[in-house]
Amino acid sequence: MDVFHNCETMKSGSLANVEKAIVLGTGGHARALIATANLIGRYELMGILDRTGPTPGETIMGLPVIGLWNDLWQLRGMGITSAYLALGNNATRREMFQRCEESGLKLPALVHPSAFVDPTAHIGDGALVCGGAFIGPEVEIGKGVIVNTGSSVDHESIIEDFVTVSPGVVIAGRVVIGQNAFLGIGACISDNVSIGSGARVGAGAIALKDIPENVLVVGVPACIKSTDLS
């Protein structure tokens, strides 16, 4: 794939004095991320890189798919300074976060304009906070975290790196979610509960007590269904 040719073609209409960014990933999550980035307007999106490369004429929300993930190392030489990770899989997001850093690209956080983020909260690099989300006081959101549409994270909770919080999740105060965990749609985590790294909380489950690492829990109250997800 001639990523140089494709990017140079796009640059001809680029905006002056606006930093340029690339999007990684072409799945459904790409749509939410691109929509958010366009609303914010901080970066000009130059195109999309995919694991397998583009098909002729392929676009997503008006952005062309211009190359492969392996083309990352070329981007700095073309004036592209930043990358957005439109990758729903936690492990893949972690891998590509590291590869972007090694390629010298910045990974800015994205917060949808309709989300509320308390001024005392911290949002890590490469995180995405989607529309209608609530991030309460003194919340820590780690690197590469996805806080999906309409989810809430209450006071003093800690969401470690590369966690996925699905739409409609409710996380009460002083909760700790370990890295690489996945919270399914509409899950609820009670106050002062810890969710272990790599754990998966099923859609609609209610976690009333601590959940170990690398297990799947489902139901109300949440109970272990599978172990050793590592």
Side-chain angles (χ1 to χ4, degrees):
M1 173 54 55
D2 186 0
V3 69
F4 277 95
H5 172 76
N6 284 291
C7 278
E8 289 298 328
T9 300
M10 296 173 62
K11 280 184 181 180
S12 62
S14 63
L15 303 174
N17 302 317
V18 176
E19 291 192 61
K20 297 174 177 61
I22 200 79
V23 175
L24 274 67
T26 57
H29 187 55
R31 278 76 175 169
L33 187 147
I34 292 167
T36 299
N38 286 339
L39 282 170
I40 295 170
R42 178 181 173 190
Y43 291 88
E44 182 183 6
L45 301 182
M46 302 300 290
I48 302 169
L49 300 183
D50 190 28
R51 185 196 300 270
T52 58
T55 57
E58 182 180 6
T59 64
I60 295 176
M61 296 187 67
L63 282 182
V65 181
I66 61 171
L68 294 159
W69 293 351
N70 289 338
D71 296 320
L72 275 173
W73 64 273
Q74 303 180 64
L75 299 179
R76 289 288 295 171
M78 293 181 283
I80 295 173
T81 60
S82 301
Y84 289 126
L85 302 180
L87 304 166
N89 180 276
N90 292 343
T92 303
R93 201 161 63 252
R94 176 185 287 274
E95 174 193 353
M96 296 312 299
F97 187 102
Q98 181 176 350
R99 288 176 61 178
C100 286
E101 285 191 321
E102 291 169 351
S103 299
L105 296 170
K106 297 183 292 186
L107 291 134
L110 272 177
V111 178
H112 194 282
S114 69
F116 173 82
V117 178
D118 189 89
T120 62
H122 171 76
I123 309 296
D125 290 344
L128 172 64
V129 180
C130 293
F134 172 89
I135 308 294
E138 299 184 1
V139 165
E140 294 284 335
I141 302 292
K143 295 184 297 186
V145 168
I146 299 171
V147 180
N148 245 304
T149 309
S151 291
S152 65
V153 185
D154 222 320
H155 61 90
E156 303 162 274
S157 288
I158 298 171
I159 314 298
E160 295 184 355
D161 298 344
F162 306 105
V163 167
T164 295
V165 179
S166 296
V169 168
V170 177
I171 298 172
R174 298 180 177 174
V175 166
V176 177
I177 310 293
Q179 60 183 340
N180 300 325
F182 178 91
L183 309 183
I185 292 174
C188 297
I189 315 299
S190 189
D191 56 298
N192 296 297
V193 165
S194 293
I195 306 296
S197 297
R200 298 178 67 89
V201 179
I206 299 180
L208 300 177
K209 60 182 181 180
D210 293 352
I211 303 299
E213 296 182 358
N214 298 316
V215 301
L216 168 65
V217 298
V218 298
V220 181
C223 297
I224 296 174
K225 183 177 181 180
S226 299
T227 60
D228 194 21
L229 299 182
S230 59

